[in-house]
Amino acid sequence: MSFRDLIDLASERLGGSVVYANDEFFADKGNLLKETAPVWKEHEYTDRGKWMDGWESRRKRTAGSDFALIRLGLPGIVRSVVVDTSFFRGNYPEACSIEATSMRSDAGVDALLSAQWRELLPRSPLEGDSRNTFEIASNDAVSHLRFQIYPDGGVARLRVHGEVVPDWRLSGGLASELDLASIEHGAGVLACSDMFFGPKNNLIMPGRSQNMSGGWETRRRRGPGHDWVVIRLATEGQVRRIEIDTNHFKGNYPDTASLEGSVDGLTWVELLPRTKLQPHTRHFFIDELLESGPLTHVRLNVYPDGGVSRLRVWGIATEQGRRAAVVSHVNALFDFSRLQQICPAHEWVHTLAAERPYGSWDQLVETANRAWFALNDAARMTAYESHARIGERAAGRWSAQEQSGTRGASEELAQALAEANRAYEAKFGFIYLVCATGKSGDDLLADVRTRLANDRQTELRIAAEEQAKIIALRLEKLVL
């Protein structure tokens, strides 16, 4: 796929922003991400000099470089960048470089200035009045960029083409209903018959379009046939409802439309029969949808041509879809703090990170198990010590969920669990560890009392097996 088919992760429409520049004397840093193409105004000047449609720093009289900090609109893997120096001829930088980090979207300037940055693009020469395109060799999902220019000068636009890697926690997780066709969730428009008036990626953008230019629109068809667009869903899911929005398309909306679904992008089944559309209208379809199994792709057909502003495909991810999302998430991790939440043993985290990318869920789980059972007892104790004692108030969302069976336990049961915990630790030298998911307080009390009869070697083995179960469950929770 060409980088031109990928989304601009830094787009203002997605929430991209230039949050800081060390110098913007001649032209504002915010111009870097403007949606419109740069323009030239021959006789336009400000009180600081020639008006330029871009970001431009003053002439540097000391060593060093100028830089801007950019928050991507959506976190993702950067595949290519375009450093556009249009109309900067005698005042463009001689070179640039780009570094990246992964932080919260609301990270402040101070936090970004002191962040850990990783090189995406080494120092590379630029040409003036040109679209300088660079491919990026990285598989890490990032949220912010540090764009450096050497030593100073002006850049009209910066485009950051890549693939969205969503933080599923921010959208409620893959256990809830979501728009499977949203760019915010990682869906992508693979192909279309035509996009003469409006780019195909507009169809899955956030929010409603502000005017006709914000949608997907084909030219007027003068021969037989119809127009179409194919979308890869964010994850495999069961479709529940559809929205086709013709907002702002009044004299150029499609007369009718239909929707097909696929599990491989090759063979198609009808999901929504050909249906009459109205101008400038949000069309919702629930009862009209035909029964289908899980889908990974949809194809919107419009007859004979015209414009659609948005397509929404609401549904629930399948178990296979959730597990595929976990694999993608782990493969794209920039830092490993989330892996440490699963298992804080340093050697385990290092092995899981080092053996990326994973091709399947089974491969990921096999590596996680192998890395865990390869640890010595001392390293495993690091993981055990991160757990709350059974029956005590658990710290953290996952621990609380895992011990939900002890919520509301009677005072007598809570006291019995506390006594059993103390007896276990006194005998074996580490906390009682069990995969508590789905077990009641009474179940857990019976289990710990039974295990108190074991010897230490037996308990070391059982504890390791229980931790392996916890690791597998927590891996799935990465997208929940």
Side-chain angles (χ1 to χ4, degrees), residues 193 221-228 256 274 301-305:
S193 58
R221 181 173 287 273
R222 300 307 187 190
H226 67 276
D227 287 318
W228 51 267
T256 58
R274 188 168 172 175
N301 303 299
V302 295
Y303 304 87
D305 53 35

Side-chain angles (χ1 to χ4, degrees), residues 5 73 107 128 148 367 442:
D5 291 323
Q148 302 209 61
T367 303
D442 289 326

Side-chain angles (χ1 to χ4, degrees), residues 188-479:
V189 183
L190 300 184
C192 67
S193 58
D194 183 83
M195 52 177 174
F196 187 86
F197 291 112
K200 62 184 187 300
N201 284 330
N202 283 347
L203 199 60
I204 60 174
M205 283 289 185
R208 299 191 74 197
S209 60
Q210 299 303 305
N211 51 53
M212 276 200 324
S213 71
W216 167 58
E217 184 183 2
T218 68
R219 74 188 78 200
R220 300 187 187 212
R221 181 173 287 273
R222 300 307 187 190
H226 67 276
D227 287 318
W228 51 267
V229 61
V230 174
I231 297 168
R232 172 186 48 76
L233 300 179
T235 185
E236 181 186 87
Q238 189 71 49
V239 176
R240 290 185 170 183
R241 55 193 174 100
I242 299 292
E243 176 187 349
I244 300 175
D245 188 357
T246 58
N247 193 30
H248 298 296
F249 291 103
K250 300 173 182 178
N252 51 350
Y253 66 99
D255 179 63
T256 58
S258 67
L259 194 72
E260 298 168 290
S262 174
V263 292
D264 56 12
L266 300 173
T267 56
W268 299 89
V269 297
E270 190 172 55
L271 187 61
L272 174 69
R274 188 168 172 175
T275 303
K276 186 76 174 74
L277 298 183
Q278 300 298 323
H280 192 52
T281 300
R282 297 177 72 185
H283 306 78
F284 294 94
F285 304 101
I286 300 176
D287 297 335
E288 299 88 343
L289 296 184
L290 303 178
E291 288 189 13
S292 71
L295 301 174
T296 58
H297 297 73
V298 294
R299 181 167 64 194
L300 175 65
N301 303 299
V302 295
Y303 304 87
D305 53 35
V308 176
S309 62
R310 297 290 186 270
L311 174 68
R312 306 299 186 204
V313 181
W314 297 91
I316 295 288
T318 63
E319 180 181 23
Q320 181 174 331
R322 291 197 301 271
R323 288 180 169 181
V326 171
V327 174
S328 297
H329 183 86
V330 172
N331 286 343
L333 282 174
F334 183 89
D335 68 73
F336 310 120
S337 58
R338 297 214 72 198
L339 292 182
Q340 290 169 338
Q341 293 173 16
I342 295 172
C343 176
H346 173 77
E347 297 90 339
W348 183 87
V349 173
H350 176 78
T351 299
L352 230 65
E355 296 199 17
R356 297 176 303 158
Y358 297 99
S360 67
W361 167 257
D362 289 341
Q363 184 185 4
L364 173 61
V365 172
E366 188 279 327
T367 303
N369 279 333
R370 173 166 45 81
W372 169 248
F373 285 110
L375 299 178
N376 58 33
D377 289 341
R380 290 178 188 169
M381 291 299 168
T382 303
Y384 301 159
E385 291 167 2
S386 69
H387 292 278
R389 292 177 177 84
I390 295 297
E392 291 185 355
R393 182 177 179 82
R397 181 168 59 95
W398 288 349
S399 294
Q401 290 173 350
E402 290 158 2
Q403 293 200 35
S404 60
T406 63
R407 288 181 198 156
S410 66
E411 184 176 342
E412 180 182 0
L413 176 57
Q415 184 175 346
L417 282 169
E419 290 175 355
N421 278 323
R422 287 193 292 270
Y424 186 97
E425 290 179 46
K427 180 174 182 179
F428 300 116
F430 55 93
I431 72 167
Y432 162 63
L433 188 74
V434 63
C435 182
T437 301
K439 294 182 172 66
S440 69
D442 289 326
D443 292 335
L444 294 168
L445 181 60
D447 182 72
V448 65
R449 284 174 171 171
T450 299
R451 286 171 56 180
L452 276 167
N454 294 331
D455 58 48
R456 191 171 190 274
Q457 274 308 116
T458 300
E459 275 307 299
L460 284 171
R461 176 184 57 78
I462 293 175
E465 292 169 350
E466 294 297 308
Q467 177 67 25
K469 296 176 187 176
I470 293 170
I471 286 173
L473 287 172
R474 288 188 174 185
L475 277 172
E476 291 205 56
K477 291 178 182 178
L478 280 173
V479 297

Side-chain angles (χ1 to χ4, degrees), residues 28 42 55 66 71 98 132 196 302 356-357 435 447 458:
D28 186 86
E42 182 66 34
W55 166 52
D66 290 324
R71 181 188 68 228
I98 297 178
N132 299 270
F196 187 86
V302 295
R356 297 176 303 158
C435 182
D447 182 72
T458 300

